[in-house]
Amino acid sequence: MKIDGTHYRSLWWNSDKHVLEIIDQRWLPHDFRVVPVATMQDFADAIYQMRVRGAPLIGATAAYGMARAMAQDASDANMDAAWAFLEKTRPTAINLRWALDRCRAALRPLPQSARAEAALALAHDIAEEDVEINRRIGENGLALIREIAARKPEGTPVRVLTHCNAGWLATVDWGTATSPMYHAHDAGLPLHIWVDETRPRNQGALTAWELGGHGVPHTYITDNAGGHLMQHGLVDLVITGTDRTTRRGDVCNKIGTYLKALAAHDNGVPFYVALPSPTIDWTVSDGVAEIPIEDRDTSEVTHVQGTTAAGAIDTVRVTPDGTAGGNPAFDVTPNRLVTGLITERGVCAASEDGLAGLFPDFAKAAQ
Ligand code: MRU
């Protein structure tokens, strides 16, 4: 998507320097910095420190990490070591393991001399596929937004609430939850987006930055405001992303998503999840029982980053010195609270039948 009129992706391959470049998201929305990711340690740090973040982008980055490893040493032992080194960076988003598994399965049968080139080509493919998947999610979500718009008085905006950043910064391009918004805006449908702040890392500020860059009207709200807005009839639809969706349609996403789903359920507001197929974990069924929830550093809760009046990026403590923080980074929304899943192949029920109906090939392969 565009920044000040120039099209960017969240990562790209610099073929002159033969290196991956990323937008370092730790500084957004305050500063726009592009950094290279060169060594294996750089790749692990970029993912763990959330220089890149969002399930699909983590997967694409990991694929480039495998390519880097193969360029250094294309042996089976190094392939397995790279897989393990990158896989442990973040536990919840399944796209990480999906990309690493896909790379290993494709590269293992090749002679070592062919692996470096093949790994880089595969990383490019994974990145391109992500863009196309998200574009299609946008088209399928646009149809939903159109239906809602058609039931509203002409010219009144469809009010969509979103949580975290499931935007283009969280993918290679388009975003998942934001793709229907960008498509609807570009189609001329009036929209207004309620953007949850999403403490502790304030990914909502990334969403606000993106939406602003594309001209989509939005308001940044506290995480606790969504239920109140829904009670007062101010939300037509919720669309969030997902970091891992089970085969029966339980959705694991950024902490606080579950509370939004409960509030939506109580107020009869449709709650949709934008789901690219690599985010489906066909090996698990019960999300609450089976999905590992990342527990991050508590300094993310006790401290907050922002820009000072003098324009410097700074971090301040918000708690009394010595107060303990707790930082579970994701939660699970059971399928009964999810109105539907917006995938690249269409919209389906959040159920085993719904997912298997759209993805019979993947469901069968996982059996
Ligand atoms: O911790 P993050 O910022 O990586 O978490 C991101 C989310 O939870 C997103 O909503 C999810 O990955 C979907 S991104 C298209």
Side-chain angles (χ1 to χ4, degrees):
M1 305 299 288
K2 287 192 172 156
I3 304 173
D4 293 334
T6 303
H7 181 258
Y8 276 90
R9 287 183 171 181
S10 55
L11 56 67
W12 58 90
W13 182 251
N14 184 325
S15 43
D16 293 333
K17 297 183 181 162
H18 213 66
V19 75
L20 183 71
E21 293 182 332
I22 59 166
I23 300 170
D24 188 341
Q25 299 188 25
R26 293 174 307 164
W27 308 111
L28 289 175
H30 315 290
D31 197 14
F32 180 76
R33 298 185 195 174
V34 172
V35 294
V37 187
T39 67
M40 289 307 289
Q41 192 61 50
D42 287 348
F43 276 95
D45 288 348
I47 297 172
Y48 176 71
Q49 295 171 354
M50 296 171 63
R51 294 165 184 241
V52 289
R53 39 147 300 282
L57 183 59
I58 292 169
T61 306
Y64 281 101
M66 284 298 268
R68 177 69 198 150
M70 291 300 89
Q72 285 172 332
D73 168 2
S75 65
D76 284 1
N78 194 45
M79 193 187 300
D80 291 342
W83 187 101
F85 184 63
L86 294 170
E87 201 268 344
K88 68 177 188 218
T89 51
R90 294 196 75 186
T92 301
I94 194 62
N95 304 59
L96 175 60
R97 206 176 68 206
W98 170 86
L100 292 171
D101 282 347
R102 182 168 163 190
C103 292
R104 192 159 60 171
L107 300 171
R108 183 75 99 206
L110 301 180
Q112 287 194 24
S113 57
R115 286 178 178 174
E117 197 181 328
L120 186 58
L122 181 53
H124 293 332
D125 286 351
I126 286 174
E128 289 304 325
E129 285 169 23
D130 181 63
V131 176
E132 180 56 14
I133 284 173
N134 299 329
R135 193 189 63 74
R136 289 197 208 162
I137 285 174
E139 286 178 352
N140 295 329
L142 167 61
L144 279 176
I145 295 177
R146 266 196 210 288
E147 278 170 32
I148 292 170
R151 294 198 295 268
K152 291 176 70 85
E154 175 110 27
T156 45
V158 176
R159 296 149 310 173
V160 186
L161 184 142
T162 192
H163 191 69
C164 195
N165 172 261
W168 70 263
L169 288 165
T171 64
V172 179
D173 208 351
W174 284 111
T176 58
T178 56
S179 187
M181 301 172 199
Y182 292 131
H183 277 80
H185 179 77
D186 292 349
L189 293 177
L191 278 185
H192 187 93
I193 315 299
W194 298 112
V195 179
D196 283 354
E197 173 185 34
T198 319
R199 278 282 286 147
R201 288 288 292 242
N202 295 354
Q203 285 94 333
L206 303 178
T207 304
W209 183 77
E210 277 191 23
L211 293 173
H214 201 74
V216 183
H218 61 279
T219 305
Y220 188 71
I221 56 172
T222 62
D223 290 325
N224 296 324
H228 164 78
L229 296 174
M230 292 185 214
Q231 277 179 329
H232 287 268
L234 296 170
V235 181
D236 297 306
L237 165 76
V238 179
I239 310 180
T240 74
T242 167
D243 289 83
R244 191 187 299 216
T245 292
T246 72
R247 68 170 178 273
R248 75 175 189 197
D250 292 348
V251 170
C252 184
N253 191 50
K254 181 52 56 193
I255 193 78
T257 303
Y258 171 50
L259 288 176
K260 296 298 167 277
L262 284 172
H265 187 70
D266 195 44
N267 289 283
V269 174
F271 183 94
Y272 282 92
V273 173
L275 169 67
S277 58
T279 309
I280 306 167
D281 185 347
W282 296 97
T283 69
V284 297
S285 179
D286 179 341
V288 174
E290 297 177 79
I291 296 179
I293 300 296
E294 180 176 15
D295 210 15
R296 288 188 65 86
D297 196 294
T298 56
S299 65
E300 293 183 348
V301 178
T302 56
H303 292 66
V304 71
Q305 176 180 279
T307 311
T308 67
I313 299 174
D314 211 346
T315 299
V316 295
R317 195 177 65 233
V318 290
T319 52
D321 199 8
T323 297
N327 193 9
F330 298 92
D331 61 26
V332 173
T333 299
N335 62 0
R336 67 189 158 79
L337 298 175
V338 179
T339 310
L341 302 167
I342 309 170
T343 79
E344 70 269 27
R345 292 193 189 171
V347 179
C348 71
S351 67
E352 195 141 0
D353 286 349
L355 279 170
L358 278 187
F359 297 99
D361 40 352
F362 297 153
K364 197 159 171 239
Q367 274 168 5

